Amino acid sequence: MATILGGLTTSHIPLIGKAIAENLRDEPYWQPFFAGFPPAHEWLARVKPDVAVVVYNDHGLNFFLDKMPTFAIGAAAEYRNADEGWGIPTLPPFKGHADLSWHIIESVVAEEFDPVTCQEMLVDHGFSLPMKLFWPSGAWPVRVVPVSVNTVQHPLPSPARCLKFGRAIGRAIASYPEDLRVVVIGTGGLSHQLDGTRAGFINKEFDLMCMQKIVDDPEALARYSILELVRLAGAQGVELVNWLVTRGALTGAVRRVHSNYHVPISNTATGLMVLENRA
Ligand code: DHB
Ligand code: FE
């Protein structure tokens, strides 16, 4: 049977791609952000996953406002990254695990979730940069299953719905018959707002509370409405729901292995967590 080793969560910001490409990791602006990652690398080297299920939001590369699925799951042999107009270098394609994808799709549909199934899917910075942050060599030792959540065009799925979706994904992974070692990666957040009169909005107190609750009381976060999340975390801070899907997939007792919080990178409060799933 497949084993869920744990969850990794990180912010995704296009500027990170530029910092990696230009080798700016040790610059004073970037050092406190990149310094958070070695413990995640050490944990990954220890637990040796075969597959990463990556929960993120597409920002207009694969889905645009004309067709916006609430939830979508990739079921392809390969996922290509493409330039989204940020001018960041594209990364090599990611190898999919289509058989696990279809198993997850069948299982969540049986539980009354209705994701769009994507046999072709481009992946944007919300997917690719976390992969590069967690495996900096770029030789991905994992196959991937992309799970996209709409955090862009309202109405968005509620935090409660996202936690339940994550739990359904967790049950799906745990029931996969092959011996696979799986990590779940949630990307986005923490507080940020890119547009409007509150552009640059950050709420450190709320972010730190979320990082605590995501470990020991995700239900508390599931009680917020999307509108409350917009108020408390900013219009794009709602990407926190990707962390809730990830947390939902962890079916065991969750131990915080590592976390890092740094404000700001670009317009965003960055958070990183490594959560071990204990059967
Ligand atoms: C920024 C943050 C994001 O989550 C994103 O998708 C794009 C840009 C930023 O802070 O610049
Ligand atoms: Fe984003």
Side-chain angles (χ1 to χ4, degrees):
M1 299 296 270
T3 308
I4 302 169
L5 305 165
L8 299 156
T9 58
T10 177
S11 307
H12 63 224
I13 301 160
L15 200 58
I16 297 166
K18 197 169 149 61
I20 293 171
E22 295 179 8
N23 216 0
L24 304 177
R25 288 182 186 80
D26 298 326
E27 297 285 311
Y29 180 84
W30 288 102
Q31 196 277 340
F33 172 75
F34 284 102
F37 284 86
H41 303 153
E42 284 152 27
W43 183 78
L44 284 166
R46 184 159 61 75
V47 302
K48 294 186 176 52
D50 305 305
V51 178
V53 174
V54 183
V55 185
Y56 71 109
N57 57 287
D58 184 270
H59 301 74
L61 179 69
N62 192 69
F63 305 116
F64 198 60
L65 305 182
D66 59 335
K67 299 178 196 72
M68 182 57 71
T70 302
F71 298 120
I73 301 181
E78 183 179 272
Y79 302 93
R80 292 186 173 272
N81 176 219
D83 179 20
E84 313 143 51
W86 294 96
I88 54 177
T90 56
L91 293 172
F94 301 88
K95 260 193 178 359
H97 196 305
D99 200 55
L100 177 61
S101 290
W102 284 116
H103 176 82
I104 293 173
I105 290 162
E106 290 205 18
S107 178
V108 300
V109 169
E111 293 203 37
E112 301 180 359
F113 286 92
D114 308 302
V116 167
T117 54
C118 302
Q119 298 191 63
E120 285 183 9
M121 194 178 194
L122 287 171
V123 289
D124 75 0
H125 70 271
F127 179 101
S128 61
L129 293 179
M131 289 295 291
K132 182 75 177 162
L133 286 166
F134 288 128
W135 290 281
S137 80
W140 330 115
V142 287
R143 290 200 274 163
V144 298
V145 175
V147 176
S148 165
V149 178
N150 172 26
T151 69
V152 172
Q153 174 159 270
H154 292 255
L156 312 184
S158 70
R161 181 81 176 144
C162 289
L163 184 62
K164 283 184 193 154
F165 184 50
R167 288 183 173 148
I169 291 173
R171 286 188 286 271
I173 297 168
S175 68
Y176 187 69
E178 203 184 306
D179 284 336
L180 272 188
R181 299 171 67 76
V182 180
V183 288
V184 185
I185 296 177
T187 92
L190 286 167
S191 61
H192 64 301
Q193 173 144 344
L194 302 178
D195 47 14
T197 53
R198 287 206 313 166
F201 175 80
I202 275 171
N203 186 346
K204 181 173 178 180
E205 198 184 328
F206 183 71
D207 289 338
L208 295 178
M209 184 277 291
C210 288
M211 288 177 82
Q212 185 57 44
K213 296 289 184 197
I214 206 88
V215 183
D216 54 24
D217 189 13
E219 293 285 358
L221 301 179
R223 284 195 283 274
Y224 288 104
S225 68
I226 284 291
L227 198 57
E228 285 170 324
L229 275 194
V230 169
R231 284 201 191 100
L232 287 162
Q236 282 71 42
V238 293
E239 291 174 347
L240 177 71
V241 295
N242 300 332
W243 291 40
L244 269 177
V245 175
T246 301
R247 177 61 179 86
L250 307 184
T251 48
V254 170
R255 181 175 79 88
R256 180 203 303 237
V257 176
H258 172 65
S259 61
N260 190 47
Y261 181 81
H262 173 66
V263 178
I265 292 295
S266 187
N267 294 294
T268 299
T270 65
L272 161 69
M273 299 191 79
V274 180
L275 304 174
E276 196 161 78
N277 186 45
R278 305 189 130 183

